[in-house]
Amino acid sequence: MPRLPHLGALCLLLRLWQVLGLAPLKFSSGRGAHCSRLVTTSAALHWLGLLAMSPLLLRQSVAIYETTNVQHSQLFRHIALATMAGDVGISLAILGAHIWQRRRLAKLLSGLERLHRRVQLSWGATVLLWGKLLISLYELLCNVPFLLQNAAKLPWLQLLAYSVQLYVQHVSSVFGNGVFGGLLLILASIQQLELQWEQLDSDKSQQERLLRRERRLLQVCLNFIGVFQLGIFLLVIGNFINILANMYAYMSYFVQQHGIPLTISNYCVIVAIQLYAIVLATHLCQVRHTRLRRRCLQLCYVPPQMTNEQAMLPTPLVLWPLDSLEFSVLGLFTLDNAFWLFLVSYAVNFIVIILQFTVTHMKHGKAF
């Protein structure tokens, strides 16, 4: 049977994680992911070097904006630099967390690799995964016109700093793509288990086998949440704050210049799509797992000679289905559609407040 093209995307994501330092591990198809002192030392030195260079990167960013964007207001410079500083800080935090949790990360990637051997994504999920990769590539290529236009008048130190800064900023995007790909793999595993439960006969040994597979899948999910929850928290909060800041800059530019800044529009749309993709994937995983658990409960696990009260007692003879799957991030919120609606409502309130201040400012300006 021919392999689906999602394998290329998932393997590409794994290699990108290794190159960028998000997976400071060795990986082989037979052994899975495992730690190496040489790789860990190299990743730690790489992270320390980026941390030491970050103040220089930000200073050079200030110089770049003073050289190339003098026609923009001071507000744009502050928001652009704050966005860059936030992206650099998020990327460094994610890289450091993965080095610190490298053993748990190796265990998680090995579990995902086992799922990868048994499960194939649907064509719809494959298109979504490649689409998200292309959106990230487009976001990176949006910097090419800036480089072509200004490379001749920028000194080599600023060009080098700008290139390293693009690399650091792209780390968070690659991290989000990897999380999204892992979620799609988990979702495909849940769907496969649900299909196997529907095709299950009354053989108790088959029920126990599927329950063991559910337990292993849930353990992978728990490791997934435990390892990535800090990175997901920083990615969600950081991207949301960047969207709000750029929306404020967009409205300020529209009022003052009476034009539409396409760069800000594209950035907000791209970041919003990437953010919603992760939230939607976690929501679907939780919904499908709830359906799977309901399907399991519809089947009779209790032997005919036992009552329900007896079955509820601790006994190795009865295997109950798994607990509910929940993508809780640092115990602060759960990634699902309700959380996305909360973000959207907060953003709408933010827009209304900005519009009120803008209209008031315009009225005062006309009065004078």
Side-chain angles (χ1 to χ4, degrees), residues 61-72:
S61 299
V62 174
I64 290 175
Y65 269 82
E66 289 178 350
T67 303
T68 61
N69 289 321
V70 292
Q71 72 275 13
H72 287 176

Side-chain angles (χ1 to χ4, degrees), residues 119-137:
V119 180
Q120 291 185 344
L121 298 184
S122 65
W123 285 102
T126 301
V127 171
L128 288 176
L129 181 57
W130 277 107
K132 196 169 187 305
L133 292 175
L134 292 177
I135 288 176
S136 297
L137 179 62

Side-chain angles (χ1 to χ4, degrees), residues 157-317:
L157 183 59
Q158 291 184 5
L159 288 176
L160 178 61
Y162 188 78
S163 301
V164 176
Q165 180 178 306
L166 287 181
Y167 154 71
V168 176
Q169 288 177 329
H170 197 59
V171 167
S172 60
S173 179
V174 174
F175 170 77
N177 291 336
V179 171
F180 184 68
L183 289 172
L184 291 180
L185 194 59
I186 291 173
L187 180 61
S189 300
I190 295 175
Q191 292 174 336
Q192 185 185 73
L193 274 174
E194 187 178 0
L195 179 62
Q196 290 175 346
W197 275 110
E198 292 176 354
Q199 299 173 348
L200 184 67
D201 53 17
S202 59
D203 188 358
K204 294 296 181 181
S205 63
Q206 294 297 320
Q207 291 181 356
E208 295 178 5
R209 179 181 62 84
L210 291 181
L211 285 170
R212 285 193 295 269
R213 286 193 59 185
E214 285 185 81
R215 286 189 172 84
R216 289 194 294 267
L217 176 60
L218 183 63
Q219 188 60 47
V220 172
C221 294
L222 294 177
N223 290 337
F224 188 96
I225 297 169
V227 173
F228 293 148
Q229 60 178 343
L230 176 61
I232 293 175
F233 172 79
L234 295 174
L235 193 67
V236 170
I237 300 302
N239 285 343
F240 184 65
I241 293 175
N242 286 343
I243 290 175
L244 294 183
N246 281 273
M247 286 169 57
Y248 179 77
Y250 179 94
M251 294 181 183
S252 176
Y253 185 93
F254 182 79
V255 171
Q256 296 179 8
Q257 306 293 332
H258 304 287
I260 298 177
L262 294 178
T263 302
I264 298 179
S265 303
N266 292 339
Y267 176 82
C268 290
V269 171
I270 290 173
V271 175
I273 291 175
Q274 292 179 337
L275 181 58
Y276 181 64
I278 294 179
V279 176
L280 179 62
T282 56
H283 175 75
L284 291 178
C285 285
Q286 292 168 112
V287 170
R288 294 307 295 262
H289 187 267
T290 301
R291 288 177 49 182
L292 173 62
R293 189 169 184 268
R294 188 181 301 116
R295 176 62 179 167
C296 294
L297 290 173
Q298 289 174 352
L299 300 176
C300 181
Y301 294 126
V302 182
Q305 65 274 16
M306 295 180 65
T307 64
N308 289 335
E309 290 76 12
Q310 292 173 333
M312 291 296 293
L313 298 175
T315 172
L317 298 178

